[in-house]
Amino acid sequence: MYRSNTCGELRLSNVGSEVKLAGWVQKVRKMGGMTFVDLRDRYGITQIVFDEGKNADLTAQANHVGREWVIQVTGKVCERSNKNTQIPTGEIEIIADNMKVLSKSEVPPFTIEDNSDGGDDLRMQYRYLDLRRKPVLNNLVLRHNIAFETRRYLDSQGFLEVETPVLIKSTPEGARDFVVPSRMNQGQFYALPQSPQQFKQLLMVGGIDRYFQIVKCFRDEDLRADRQPEFTQIDCEMSYVEQEDVLQMFEGMIKHIFKYARGVEFTDSFPRLTWHECMKRFGSDKPDMRFGMEFVELKNVKEGGDDLVSGHSFTVFDGANFVVAICANGCASWTRKQLDQMTEFVKRPQVGAKGLVYIQMKEDGTIKSSVDKFYDEASLRKIADKANAKAGDLILILCGDDAMKVRSQMNTLRLEMGDRLELRDKNKFAPLWVIDFPLFEWNEEDQRFYAMHHPFTSPKLEDVQYLDSDPGRVRANAYDLAMNGVELGGGSVRIHDSELQNKMFQLLGFTQEKAQDQFGCLMTAFKYGAPPHAGLAFGLDRVVSMLAGLDSIRDCIAFPKNNSGRDTMMDCPSVIDDAQLEELCLKVDIKE
Amino acid sequence: MYRSNTCGELRLSNVGSEVKLAGWVQKVRKMGGMTFVDLRDRYGITQIVFDEGKNADLTAQANHVGREWVIQVTGKVCERSNKNTQIPTGEIEIIADNMKVLSKSEVPPFTIEDNSDGGDDLRMQYRYLDLRRKPVLNNLVLRHNIAFETRRYLDSQGFLEVETPVLIKSTPEGARDFVVPSRMNQGQFYALPQSPQQFKQLLMVGGIDRYFQIVKCFRDEDLRADRQPEFTQIDCEMSYVEQEDVLQMFEGMIKHIFKYARGVEFTDSFPRLTWHECMKRFGSDKPDMRFGMEFVELKNVKEGGDDLVSGHSFTVFDGANFVVAICANGCASWTRKQLDQMTEFVKRPQVGAKGLVYIQMKEDGTIKSSVDKFYDEASLRKIADKANAKAGDLILILCGDDAMKVRSQMNTLRLEMGDRLELRDKNKFAPLWVIDFPLFEWNEEDQRFYAMHHPFTSPKLEDVQYLDSDPGRVRANAYDLAMNGVELGGGSVRIHDSELQNKMFQLLGFTQEKAQDQFGCLMTAFKYGAPPHAGLAFGLDRVVSMLAGLDSIRDCIAFPKNNSGRDTMMDCPSVIDDAQLEELCLKVDIKE
């Protein structure tokens, strides 16, 4: 051992001990005849003191070391006269009687401090230096703890962690699979799994009963800020259960993780909303429940209900199928400039609204609105009453023809208002089970239905009757866990009956051959006694980000890739040898 | 829930309870008016009784179910009159009052019994049915427990599990890398990791201090019985440690795993042997220490020592550089046929010996040997004394010019003798640390040295002086853990000095460019303060096989691939769409 103690563990009770420490030089300060070195490792920082008066040679040597050098120091633990109450080791210091340089360092490309001067690109290129920074390290520690507590909970509930293959079957449809050419099977390819879905269902057919796996999955997509080509799932499946059992089990898991990895206790059961309610009240299937500001429908031609806006010669509302409002408490006093900003916000192409109508419920009891000339005070008060607005509140209104589109726009506006009003506290966690998802999703472009989750999802028994006549009406036994506006995970009860499964493939437009080619193994397996089963998967990266309060999943991954799927530290991907290509029977053929 | 209890938990104390069970039909037996169904799940088997006298309809229904159907049964727990002491649930049975078929089954292609009638190929094709068999299930349970206990131990020792990337840099040298074409970076490839070696060293540079990961690794090799294209490593690395610290830490881990996952306690420290001793005494760097039968050198021209065989006109020994014996206790009475079998054994091309000489130390005190006509009794007795042979023992002798080749042959013979004498008990575990491996390995074909472990392995400080003058003499700070003749894991102290690392690359024949291309990132990292570090990796598949007493790693893997790297269940690898190839800028080009 190069050390008797870490840089984070010595306290007043150790005063008088001879110790040996090793670590990185965080800082060197000279004060008079004394040199102070802050020595850092994963566990903390300890102050080392070199006294020129007592040992001139050693102190000269210490004056010579630079930031991020690795040194080893022996000395005696002493009480500090000038205590640092900010750090746990701040009451002591080490009076050095020996020092050895274990490894020198060039000047690092950015400062290794909590707030570094390094930009994102530089920090990614030298990620190994970035990892020395406490905020990044803390994320990895948290990630370890979350994974460990996940396993501890699931092990205690009888789940077996079973490794499923990484080299799996490539399906012709899976245009977004990463593929791996096989040298031993010329011209053939493996694929990397987008999820172990079929394997975990096969494990249920195999009687494993309760399966989980913390597992890498892969998707060759164009990347956004919160996507990585490889990501990690907490993948789970259970046999002989119904939806309620799954929700209970994994609500328990999330509670366990939050408690043991972050000290957050959820005392109540997680609230539940149907997908339909979510869309109606929040315009999202993963609403942020940390704040209210629920949607108030002022007009809904398709679904009926009161129409509070038509017939006032305001042609925008008169011509719209759907008009919806939110009420922002205490915002009546917003300036014209602030209101214009919000109008600009909703008109951005990413949101896509045509405009924004507002009603200010002034503190003095008066009302002011951007549509004053169309609506008298009584009409505006009716709207305000419906929106539960009091004096001091601000009502924001959007409209359009497609209710789902307007809801989505209003969702974005609601979240923006939540941000501006600081209603989205990173230390508050608002879980929500979203249930009763539709089984199918209509695709306007292709003029056909697609499975909203995947083709193995079971319809609700009472809705099976509509499978042929009105597929859009069929609800699935599918569920998501949303938290703070993020989907942490989701899953479904699976079909375990090969006839119903065949029916689903048929409805989804699979030919017999295509279904056989892609799912043949599972369909055969279902012929040999498949138990009822259900499962779900959580995104580990998202769970960690949520608990760490991060905006991007990137900072909870040790070695992430950038938006082009590149690892700039390793400089990968890269070209490969012609000899290797030849062995794989491949030719690169780049079209100009 | 489809059940109130599992099929493995009901006991006499539950008698009188109304229960609901669900599972697979193992067996249906009709006896008089009674029908007995053995219902099976992961947890056990419970007997269900249908009484025609009490419920004719239900019993008729039960008579109709077949093997591997999935049924749900409600009924009352009763004490059995005819108890089965072989299973934990054997004292009770369920008198059924209701039954529901959850899923029918075709007749399975092989019997789902501990000893199945299914051949390997069939079992692999229907692996999901094979998993229902108890021996296979038990292996997966054991694997889960081993992985869980590994994590529990390492977590308690302050190790962080950090996920390293699966999509990494492909190096031109790595002809045995699996590669993954990148769609977003045309003409470029990722590789799948053969191990996270560079990443874990970067994590040490990053101050992670103690890292581990249970991680999939990949090797596109021609496969043998105990190899898979994807395999799982327990990968570990520590900072500020020396070899001794690593051995202590991971001896602790292995002891923990054996204790908590299998109930085996090692009371003593693991023995240690240098690589040189291992080769000299057992002819292997992973000797099976469950039995003795150590090598006795009768002649060793290169290293000196007594020559007990030359000068007797036996030209075979006279002309050989190396003659070595083992003594098999109690085998003097072996028949001529048995001895001929052993001669045939060593002459097989896989072993490659020219012949086998034996000396039988008969119980009556006489001596008989295959080289009687060259050696008088006194000479034979001298050999016997050297080999510590007593009356009743059998001495087996091999010879040749290349000591290492003969040792390897004798190792194979020793293990075969161990098998025949039943000295290799699967329930006995004999660990051994093999230390002081040579740093380099001479390659006769290429006439150059290669790194025996990998180029990051640190030479012993006292041997650095021979790096230039006598590389073959340099020992490494490298170590393996062998057990029962299997290498469970191994590792080394790493070089953390960029100058020494450069020197190593130079000795290994890397040009500056090649070293930069393959290891550039790590070499740059070493310029910013690298701590002394060391690590090792265990093969999880091998550890599980060892504890499960398996001959092949295949049976401890849920979905293994065959010797051609194929998954016959999923039928993979397979051809992919031209459209997908085009998107990847690839053309398949199979040479006839």
Side-chain angles (χ1 to χ4, degrees):
Chain A
M1 275 283 193
Y2 283 79
R3 66 189 176 201
S4 63
N5 296 82
T6 70
C7 296
E9 64 179 322
L10 294 171
R11 299 285 184 277
L12 271 183
S13 58
N14 301 102
V15 164
S17 309
E18 288 289 336
V19 297
K20 189 160 64 176
L21 299 186
W24 286 265
V25 172
Q26 174 84 16
K27 209 184 272 175
V28 183
R29 279 162 299 146
K30 291 177 64 171
M31 287 174 70
M34 313 285 272
T35 296
F36 298 91
V37 171
D38 282 350
L39 196 65
R40 186 196 68 232
D41 65 12
R42 178 182 129 196
Y43 311 95
I45 289 182
T46 297
Q47 177 166 292
I48 316 291
V49 185
F50 298 85
D51 185 343
E52 199 169 27
K54 285 185 182 154
N55 195 332
D57 283 357
L58 188 66
T59 307
Q61 216 184 318
N63 288 336
H64 186 68
V65 306
R67 277 198 294 136
E68 301 307 318
W69 286 33
V70 179
I71 63 170
Q72 184 186 39
V73 172
T74 54
K76 190 180 268 188
V77 184
C78 294
E79 184 169 357
R80 274 164 80 161
S81 51
N82 192 3
K83 294 193 172 60
N84 178 350
T85 56
Q86 303 298 305
I87 58 174
T89 57
E91 296 193 292
I92 58 97
E93 61 193 4
I94 313 297
I95 309 295
D97 54 37
N98 216 333
M99 185 190 92
K100 197 177 158 189
V101 174
L102 298 175
S103 181
K104 293 181 184 179
S105 173
E106 294 184 5
V107 176
F110 51 83
T111 54
I112 315 288
E113 307 272 356
D114 286 7
N115 290 306
S116 172
D117 60 0
D120 265 13
D121 289 350
L122 204 58
R123 293 198 297 110
M124 287 305 148
Q125 191 188 337
Y126 296 90
R127 181 65 163 174
Y128 43 87
L129 297 181
D130 199 30
L131 293 177
R132 290 186 195 160
R133 294 174 50 237
K134 200 154 190 212
V136 184
L137 167 66
N138 285 349
N139 292 340
L140 294 189
V141 173
L142 181 65
R143 188 180 182 103
H144 163 82
N145 287 335
I146 289 171
F148 187 72
E149 290 302 335
T150 300
R151 289 188 165 99
R152 206 158 66 87
Y153 176 83
L154 292 173
D155 175 78
S156 78
Q157 298 292 329
F159 284 78
L160 295 179
E161 184 160 25
V162 180
E163 296 174 59
T164 54
V166 176
L167 299 171
I168 69 166
K169 185 179 169 73
S170 171
T171 54
E173 281 287 289
R176 288 304 180 254
D177 280 348
F178 281 107
V179 296
V180 182
S182 165
R183 189 176 49 89
M184 285 204 282
N185 302 271
Q186 300 198 338
Q188 300 190 2
F189 295 76
Y190 303 99
L192 303 181
Q194 297 192 22
S195 94
Q197 184 63 33
Q198 290 192 60
F199 286 101
K200 69 176 174 174
Q201 294 195 241
L202 288 169
L203 286 172
M204 293 304 103
V205 176
I208 294 304
D209 206 81
R210 293 183 170 197
Y211 146 90
F212 84 101
Q213 189 182 189
I214 298 186
V215 60
K216 275 278 174 77
C217 299
F218 306 85
R219 218 167 282 168
D220 189 6
E221 290 180 307
D222 300 309
L223 304 173
R224 285 175 284 154
D226 61 341
R227 290 278 172 92
Q228 286 277 314
E230 49 180 296
F231 54 98
T232 306
Q233 300 273 89
I234 305 170
D235 192 48
C236 309
E237 197 79 9
M238 305 172 75
S239 289
Y240 301 114
V241 291
E242 287 152 312
Q243 175 169 310
E244 184 58 31
D245 306 308
V246 177
L247 299 191
Q248 295 281 353
M249 178 62 74
F250 291 98
E251 186 166 321
M253 185 184 90
I254 292 294
K255 285 178 173 175
H256 178 97
I257 292 171
F258 273 70
K259 181 172 174 183
Y260 291 101
R262 202 176 185 276
V264 173
E265 289 216 44
F266 293 106
T267 45
D268 299 329
S269 287
F270 291 179
R272 298 181 188 182
L273 284 179
T274 66
W275 177 87
H276 187 77
E277 269 185 290
C278 280
M279 298 313 291
K280 205 171 166 69
R281 290 167 53 187
F282 302 97
S284 166
D285 59 2
K286 42 178 192 278
D288 187 341
M289 305 295 280
R290 282 174 295 186
F291 64 107
M293 220 183 278
E294 287 193 24
F295 292 8
V296 179
E297 294 183 2
L298 306 180
K299 178 181 179 184
N300 188 339
V301 171
K302 218 166 180 184
E303 295 179 33
D306 293 342
D307 179 348
L308 299 185
V309 292
S310 300
H312 293 262
S313 311
F314 184 47
T315 52
V316 178
F317 284 173
D318 283 350
N321 282 327
F322 188 74
V323 182
V324 66
I326 54 173
C327 172
N329 299 130
C331 298
S333 56
W334 274 26
T335 61
R336 182 62 193 252
K337 192 178 161 198
Q338 283 176 299
L339 292 165
D340 284 349
Q341 273 179 359
M342 295 319 293
T343 306
E344 286 315 306
F345 176 81
V346 297
K347 285 168 83 174
R348 293 184 315 154
Q350 301 97 307
V351 185
K354 290 265 163 53
L356 178 69
V357 168
Y358 62 83
I359 304 171
Q360 290 170 299
M361 309 294 290
K362 298 283 188 188
E363 286 287 2
D364 63 9
T366 61
I367 304 185
K368 195 162 171 272
S369 169
S370 54
V371 289
D372 275 345
K373 51 181 157 177
F374 302 105
Y375 297 89
D376 57 18
E377 194 181 317
S379 307
L380 294 175
R381 276 208 194 281
K382 261 192 201 162
I383 294 173
D385 285 349
K386 179 92 188 255
N388 238 328
K390 305 170 308 295
D393 292 351
L394 173 71
I395 299 168
L396 299 171
I397 306 173
L398 294 177
C399 70
D401 276 341
D402 182 336
M404 286 316 243
K405 261 190 201 155
V406 179
R407 281 170 175 149
S408 167
Q409 293 161 358
M410 188 54 111
N411 168 50
T412 310
L413 176 59
R414 174 179 175 268
L415 294 178
E416 177 68 16
M417 290 301 292
D419 281 335
R420 290 187 179 229
L421 300 177
E422 294 179 350
L423 299 172
R424 307 182 74 191
D425 177 0
K426 282 186 174 172
N427 290 306
K428 194 174 157 188
F429 300 98
L432 174 74
W433 284 113
V434 182
I435 57 174
D436 295 0
F437 275 79
L439 186 61
F440 301 104
E441 201 167 22
W442 178 255
N443 185 297
E444 199 59 42
E445 211 169 305
D446 302 354
Q447 287 287 308
R448 51 164 277 205
F449 283 105
Y450 283 95
M452 197 158 194
H453 277 70
H454 52 59
F456 313 114
T457 303
S458 164
K460 283 202 177 292
L461 205 59
E462 59 268 38
D463 290 357
V464 167
Q465 52 180 319
Y466 307 117
L467 272 177
D468 289 302
S469 56
D470 189 3
R473 181 175 175 175
V474 179
R475 291 164 304 163
N477 282 316
Y479 33 79
D480 273 4
L481 181 66
M483 191 180 283
N484 296 5
V486 173
E487 180 202 324
L488 288 187
S492 63
V493 176
R494 324 300 183 185
I495 298 168
H496 67 279
D497 176 86
S498 35
E499 272 174 54
L500 183 56
Q501 187 66 70
N502 276 330
K503 169 111 198 155
M504 275 294 288
F505 287 140
Q506 195 185 314
L507 284 168
L508 291 167
F510 285 84
T511 61
Q512 196 72 25
E513 296 77 49
K514 222 169 72 178
Q516 185 60 37
D517 190 42
Q518 286 194 40
F519 312 112
C521 177
L522 191 60
M523 285 162 74
T524 306
F526 277 2
K527 292 180 186 159
Y528 293 100
H533 58 292
L536 83 183
F538 291 93
L540 177 63
D541 307 292
R542 291 202 190 158
V543 173
V544 179
S545 298
M546 176 69 54
L547 269 85
L550 299 174
D551 293 319
S552 154
I553 60 169
R554 205 173 288 171
D555 264 330
C556 70
I557 296 172
F559 300 104
K561 296 198 170 53
N562 71 10
N563 282 347
S564 314
R566 292 201 70 82
D567 176 344
T568 56
M569 179 186 78
M570 281 290 185
D571 191 20
C572 118
S574 55
V575 294
I576 61 173
D577 256 8
D578 285 343
Q580 194 171 0
L581 282 171
E582 199 168 317
E583 210 176 29
L584 296 168
C585 301
L586 286 180
K587 275 191 170 161
V588 170
D589 177 38
I590 298 179
K591 308 240 172 9
E592 299 307 314
Chain B
M1 273 283 193
Y2 283 80
R3 65 191 176 201
S4 63
N5 297 83
T6 71
C7 296
E9 64 179 322
L10 295 170
R11 301 287 184 275
L12 271 184
S13 59
N14 302 101
V15 164
S17 309
E18 287 290 336
V19 296
K20 186 160 68 178
L21 299 186
W24 286 266
V25 172
Q26 174 84 16
K27 210 184 271 175
V28 182
R29 277 163 300 146
K30 290 177 64 170
M31 288 174 71
M34 313 285 271
T35 296
F36 299 92
V37 171
D38 284 350
L39 196 65
R40 186 195 69 232
D41 65 12
R42 177 181 129 196
Y43 312 95
I45 289 181
T46 297
Q47 177 166 291
I48 317 290
V49 186
F50 298 85
D51 185 342
E52 198 168 30
K54 285 186 184 155
N55 195 334
D57 283 356
L58 187 67
T59 308
Q61 215 186 317
N63 288 336
H64 185 68
V65 307
R67 277 199 294 135
E68 301 307 319
W69 286 33
V70 179
I71 63 170
Q72 184 186 39
V73 173
T74 54
K76 191 180 267 187
V77 184
C78 295
E79 183 168 359
R80 273 164 82 161
S81 52
N82 191 5
K83 295 196 172 59
N84 178 349
T85 57
Q86 304 298 305
I87 56 173
T89 56
E91 296 191 290
I92 57 95
E93 62 193 4
I94 314 297
I95 309 297
D97 53 38
N98 215 333
M99 186 190 92
K100 195 176 159 188
V101 174
L102 299 176
S103 180
K104 293 181 184 180
S105 173
E106 294 184 4
V107 176
F110 50 83
T111 55
I112 315 288
E113 308 270 356
D114 286 6
N115 291 304
S116 172
D117 60 359
D120 266 11
D121 290 349
L122 205 57
R123 293 198 298 110
M124 287 304 147
Q125 191 188 338
Y126 295 90
R127 183 63 163 175
Y128 44 86
L129 297 180
D130 200 29
L131 293 177
R132 292 186 194 161
R133 293 174 52 237
K134 201 156 187 203
V136 184
L137 168 65
N138 285 349
N139 292 340
L140 294 190
V141 173
L142 181 64
R143 188 182 182 102
H144 164 82
N145 288 334
I146 288 171
F148 187 72
E149 291 301 334
T150 300
R151 290 189 164 99
R152 207 158 66 87
Y153 176 83
L154 292 173
D155 175 77
S156 77
Q157 299 292 328
F159 284 78
L160 295 180
E161 185 160 23
V162 179
E163 295 174 58
T164 55
V166 177
L167 298 171
I168 69 165
K169 186 179 167 74
S170 172
T171 53
E173 280 287 289
R176 287 305 179 252
D177 280 348
F178 282 107
V179 295
V180 181
S182 165
R183 189 175 51 88
M184 286 205 280
N185 302 270
Q186 300 199 339
Q188 300 191 1
F189 294 78
Y190 303 98
L192 302 181
Q194 297 191 24
S195 94
Q197 184 64 34
Q198 291 193 58
F199 287 101
K200 68 176 174 174
Q201 294 195 240
L202 288 170
L203 286 173
M204 294 303 105
V205 176
I208 295 303
D209 205 82
R210 293 184 170 196
Y211 145 90
F212 84 102
Q213 190 182 190
I214 299 186
V215 60
K216 276 278 174 74
C217 299
F218 305 86
R219 218 167 283 169
D220 189 7
E221 291 180 307
D222 299 310
L223 304 173
R224 287 175 284 154
D226 61 341
R227 289 280 172 92
Q228 285 279 314
E230 49 182 296
F231 54 98
T232 306
Q233 299 272 87
I234 304 170
D235 192 48
C236 309
E237 197 80 10
M238 304 171 75
S239 288
Y240 300 113
V241 291
E242 287 152 310
Q243 174 168 312
E244 184 60 31
D245 306 308
V246 177
L247 300 190
Q248 295 282 354
M249 178 62 72
F250 292 98
E251 186 165 321
M253 184 184 88
I254 293 293
K255 284 179 173 174
H256 177 97
I257 292 172
F258 272 70
K259 181 172 173 186
Y260 290 101
R262 202 178 184 275
V264 173
E265 289 216 43
F266 293 107
T267 45
D268 298 331
S269 287
F270 291 178
R272 298 180 189 184
L273 284 179
T274 66
W275 178 86
H276 187 78
E277 268 185 289
C278 279
M279 297 313 291
K280 204 170 166 72
R281 291 165 56 186
F282 302 97
S284 166
D285 59 4
K286 43 178 191 276
D288 187 341
M289 305 295 281
R290 283 174 295 187
F291 64 108
M293 219 184 275
E294 286 192 25
F295 290 9
V296 178
E297 293 184 3
L298 305 179
K299 178 182 180 183
N300 188 339
V301 171
K302 217 166 181 183
E303 297 180 30
D306 292 343
D307 179 349
L308 300 185
V309 293
S310 299
H312 292 262
S313 311
F314 183 48
T315 52
V316 177
F317 284 173
D318 283 350
N321 282 328
F322 187 75
V323 182
V324 66
I326 54 173
C327 172
N329 299 129
C331 297
S333 57
W334 274 25
T335 63
R336 180 60 193 252
K337 193 179 159 197
Q338 284 177 297
L339 292 166
D340 284 350
Q341 273 179 355
M342 295 318 295
T343 305
E344 287 314 306
F345 177 82
V346 299
K347 285 168 82 173
R348 292 183 315 152
Q350 301 96 307
V351 185
K354 291 267 162 54
L356 178 68
V357 168
Y358 62 82
I359 304 172
Q360 292 171 299
M361 309 295 291
K362 298 282 189 185
E363 285 288 0
D364 62 8
T366 61
I367 301 186
K368 196 164 170 269
S369 168
S370 55
V371 288
D372 275 344
K373 50 179 159 179
F374 302 106
Y375 296 89
D376 58 17
E377 195 179 315
S379 308
L380 292 176
R381 273 204 198 282
K382 262 193 199 161
I383 294 173
D385 285 348
K386 179 93 189 251
N388 238 328
K390 305 168 307 298
D393 293 350
L394 172 70
I395 298 168
L396 299 171
I397 305 173
L398 294 176
C399 70
D401 275 342
D402 181 336
M404 287 315 244
K405 260 190 200 154
V406 180
R407 281 170 174 150
S408 166
Q409 293 161 357
M410 187 54 110
N411 167 50
T412 311
L413 177 59
R414 174 179 175 267
L415 294 179
E416 176 68 16
M417 290 301 291
D419 280 334
R420 290 186 180 230
L421 300 176
E422 294 178 350
L423 301 172
R424 307 182 73 190
D425 177 358
K426 283 187 174 172
N427 290 306
K428 196 176 156 185
F429 300 97
L432 174 73
W433 284 113
V434 182
I435 57 174
D436 295 358
F437 276 79
L439 186 62
F440 301 104
E441 202 167 22
W442 179 252
N443 185 296
E444 200 58 45
E445 211 169 304
D446 302 353
Q447 288 287 307
R448 51 165 276 204
F449 282 107
Y450 283 94
M452 196 159 197
H453 277 70
H454 53 60
F456 313 113
T457 303
S458 163
K460 280 199 180 292
L461 205 59
E462 59 268 37
D463 290 358
V464 167
Q465 53 180 316
Y466 307 116
L467 272 176
D468 288 303
S469 57
D470 189 3
R473 182 175 174 176
V474 179
R475 292 164 303 162
N477 282 318
Y479 34 81
D480 273 2
L481 181 67
M483 192 180 284
N484 295 5
V486 173
E487 179 203 326
L488 289 188
S492 63
V493 176
R494 323 301 183 185
I495 298 169
H496 67 279
D497 176 87
S498 35
E499 271 174 54
L500 183 56
Q501 187 65 69
N502 276 330
K503 170 112 198 153
M504 275 296 287
F505 286 140
Q506 195 186 314
L507 285 167
L508 292 167
F510 285 85
T511 61
Q512 197 72 25
E513 295 78 49
K514 221 169 72 178
Q516 186 60 37
D517 190 42
Q518 285 193 41
F519 312 114
C521 175
L522 191 60
M523 284 161 74
T524 304
F526 278 2
K527 292 181 186 159
Y528 293 100
H533 59 289
L536 82 183
F538 291 93
L540 176 64
D541 308 293
R542 290 200 190 158
V543 173
V544 179
S545 298
M546 175 70 53
L547 269 85
L550 300 173
D551 293 319
S552 154
I553 60 168
R554 204 172 290 171
D555 265 328
C556 70
I557 296 172
F559 300 105
K561 296 200 169 50
N562 72 10
N563 283 346
S564 314
R566 292 202 70 83
D567 175 344
T568 57
M569 179 186 78
M570 282 290 184
D571 191 21
C572 120
S574 56
V575 294
I576 60 174
D577 257 9
D578 286 343
Q580 193 170 3
L581 283 170
E582 200 169 316
E583 209 175 29
L584 296 169
C585 302
L586 287 180
K587 274 191 169 162
V588 170
D589 175 40
I590 299 179
K591 308 244 170 13
E592 299 306 315

